[in-house]
């Protein structure tokens, strides 16, 4: 890891905290062990720890904790360490670590539109701060930041597949000159907690943001299913067991407020800002799928 990346990462974290505090967010301490975590059906290996007569998951995302936390405070965020045991081949994509940090945030009673706008303003603020405080580091890296002009363009999942093929993320990102939103994922493409649009069955009120210049996915989020009967239906539709998600269902039966939010990967954000090839360069102690490290 280069010194310039250490400084840029630190400025990114500080800028995000400052922006979110100004918007009325409070920071939660992260959760690392959890009885229930994000299903992430496409990353199949589970990281489990045995303690006190039960198994605990190493957190894959704080999604359910975020939904629970907005009962207490309307706007929350956390720098959440996530463990996702990706296949070893993913060590070469430049975008995967099996331990990474996402800035995971959630807003009570918010719509997808509101969190998208917040995401745009957050990126703008971070970029400004990095430009002000890291001009020397950017020069050392030979990087000039691409301009950000919100609102960013949007494309639906269906349009993205038509124009760029079923695996659209890479081609779309290489063709883009500005960050671009992908919205309206179909039900089966995502996890059960993204909210189905009540007026368009089968379509979710969710989104991804894709970086330009081939840097790929930036963030992922959406509105949430919060009613117990809807959550139950969605869990079953994905062939998952109700028993595994009992803690979430119990919370929803007590009452979860509607909410929306997203998570933005810190290492990927810094990789994009710094214009480096691999997220490994953003961590002093990177955890690259398939690789062993000494420290
Ligand atoms: N953080 C994401 C979200 O808020 C979930 C994830 O990381 N899978 O939707």
């Amino acid at each position: 890891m280069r010194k310039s990346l250490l400084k840029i990462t630190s400025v990114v974290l500080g800028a995000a905290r400052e922006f979110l505090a100004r918007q009325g967010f409070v920071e939660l301490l992260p959760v690392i062990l959890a009885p229930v975590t994000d299903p992430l059906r496409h990353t199949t290996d589970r990281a489990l720890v045995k303690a006190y007569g039960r198994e605990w998951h190493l957190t894959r995302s704080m999604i359910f904790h975020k939904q629970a936390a907005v009962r207490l405070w309307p706007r929350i965020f956390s720098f959440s360490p996530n463990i996702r045991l990706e296949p070893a081949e993913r060590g070469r994509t430049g975008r995967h670590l099996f331990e990474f940090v996402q800035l995971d945030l959630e807003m009570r009673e918010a719509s997808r539109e509101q969190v998208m706008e917040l995401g745009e303003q957050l990126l703008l603020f971070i970029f400004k701060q990095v430009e002000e405080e890291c001009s020397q580091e950017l020069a050392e890296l030979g990087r000039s930041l691409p301009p950000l002009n919100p609102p960013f363009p949007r494309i639906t999942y269906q349009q993205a597949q038509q124009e760029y093929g079923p695996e659209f993320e890479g081609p779309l990102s290489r063709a883009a000159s500005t960050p671009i939103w992908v919205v309206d994922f179909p039900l089966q493409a995502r996890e059960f907690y993204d909210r189905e649009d009540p007026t368009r069955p089968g379509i979710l009120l969710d989104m991804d943001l894709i970086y330009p210049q081939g840097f790929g996915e930036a963030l992922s989020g959406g509105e949430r299913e919060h009613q117990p009967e809807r959550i139950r239906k969605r869990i079953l539709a994905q062939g998952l067991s109700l028993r595994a998600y009992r803690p979430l269902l119990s919370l929803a039966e007590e009452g979860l407020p509607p909410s929306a939010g997203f998570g933005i990967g810190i290492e990927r954000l810094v990789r994009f800002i710094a214009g480096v090839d691999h997220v490994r360069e953003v961590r002093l102690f990177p955890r690259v799928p398939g690789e062993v490290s000494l420290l």
Side-chain angles (χ1 to χ4, degrees):
M1 184 190 199
R2 284 169 277 185
K3 246 165 80 176
S4 48
L5 284 153
L6 200 62
K7 163 90 183 279
I8 293 171
T9 306
S10 179
V11 169
V12 165
L13 299 178
R17 282 198 166 99
E18 184 180 336
F19 173 82
L20 292 172
R22 286 189 199 173
Q23 302 288 324
F25 281 77
V26 296
E27 181 171 358
L28 298 185
L29 294 175
V31 172
I32 294 180
L33 292 171
V36 60
T37 192
D38 197 322
L40 293 181
R41 288 164 303 143
H42 302 296
T43 311
T44 46
D45 273 359
R46 305 271 175 260
L48 294 164
V49 170
K50 277 203 183 116
Y52 309 107
R54 67 162 303 155
E55 285 184 328
W56 302 77
H57 293 269
L58 293 177
T59 304
R60 299 164 134 204
S61 90
M62 278 178 58
I63 179 66
F64 305 135
H65 303 89
K66 295 197 300 177
Q67 285 186 268
V70 289
R71 295 183 305 176
L72 195 62
W73 196 275
R75 293 176 166 212
I76 56 96
F77 74 96
S78 191
F79 287 107
S80 167
N82 292 179
I83 303 293
R84 298 185 186 172
L85 303 180
E86 306 282 358
E89 320 70 274
R90 290 207 168 163
R92 290 190 296 272
T93 62
R95 295 179 295 111
H96 292 92
L97 294 173
F98 65 94
E99 176 188 325
F100 68 96
V101 174
Q102 63 172 316
L103 166 53
D104 221 354
L105 63 83
E106 196 74 12
M107 293 160 70
R108 191 201 291 164
E109 312 281 352
S111 64
R112 173 171 69 176
E113 290 303 319
Q114 286 170 299
V115 288
M116 286 169 75
E117 199 193 327
L118 182 100
E120 291 173 344
Q121 295 306 319
L122 169 69
L123 277 184
L124 211 59
F125 189 88
I126 292 173
F127 266 50
K128 246 180 61 207
Q129 206 106 320
V130 169
E131 269 171 338
E132 275 170 31
E133 294 181 33
C134 303
S135 54
Q136 194 190 324
E137 286 74 15
L138 291 172
E140 272 169 38
L141 291 159
R143 177 71 167 160
S144 46
L145 294 180
L148 297 184
N149 294 306
F152 303 148
R154 293 178 186 200
I155 185 170
T156 65
Y157 176 92
Q158 203 187 4
Q159 286 169 326
Q161 283 211 324
Q162 276 162 7
E163 285 180 40
Y164 300 98
E167 300 295 324
F168 58 77
E169 182 186 326
L172 170 62
S173 176
R174 284 190 286 278
S177 53
T178 160
I180 177 167
W181 294 107
V182 181
V183 296
D184 294 353
F185 286 70
L187 202 94
Q188 285 307 326
R190 299 284 259 207
E191 307 306 331
F192 69 77
Y193 48 77
D194 282 353
R195 179 165 173 245
E196 187 175 10
D197 188 337
T199 64
R200 294 178 303 163
I203 303 290
L204 301 173
L205 288 165
D206 62 356
M207 73 287 177
D208 273 3
L209 183 70
I210 308 293
Y211 291 126
Q213 304 175 333
F215 286 93
E217 185 198 312
L219 71 77
S220 207
E223 294 183 22
R224 314 301 183 188
E225 295 289 1
H226 60 98
Q227 293 157 317
E229 64 283 7
R230 296 261 342 138
I231 298 176
R232 221 173 278 127
K233 187 174 150 204
R234 296 284 308 281
I235 290 174
L236 291 173
Q238 300 212 326
L240 298 169
S241 99
L242 291 177
R243 208 157 61 89
Y245 295 94
R246 189 66 244 164
L248 172 68
L249 287 165
S250 300
L251 276 177
E253 281 154 15
E254 280 171 26
L256 282 175
S259 66
F262 61 75
I264 178 164
I266 295 297
E267 292 88 344
R268 289 179 176 185
L269 171 57
V270 175
R271 172 187 178 235
F272 172 56
I273 288 177
V276 295
D277 288 340
H278 199 292
V279 279
R280 73 160 74 239
E281 298 186 53
V282 181
R283 294 290 299 251
L284 199 46
F285 307 108
R287 301 292 176 248
V288 181
E291 289 185 16
V292 176
S293 37
L294 289 178
L295 202 63

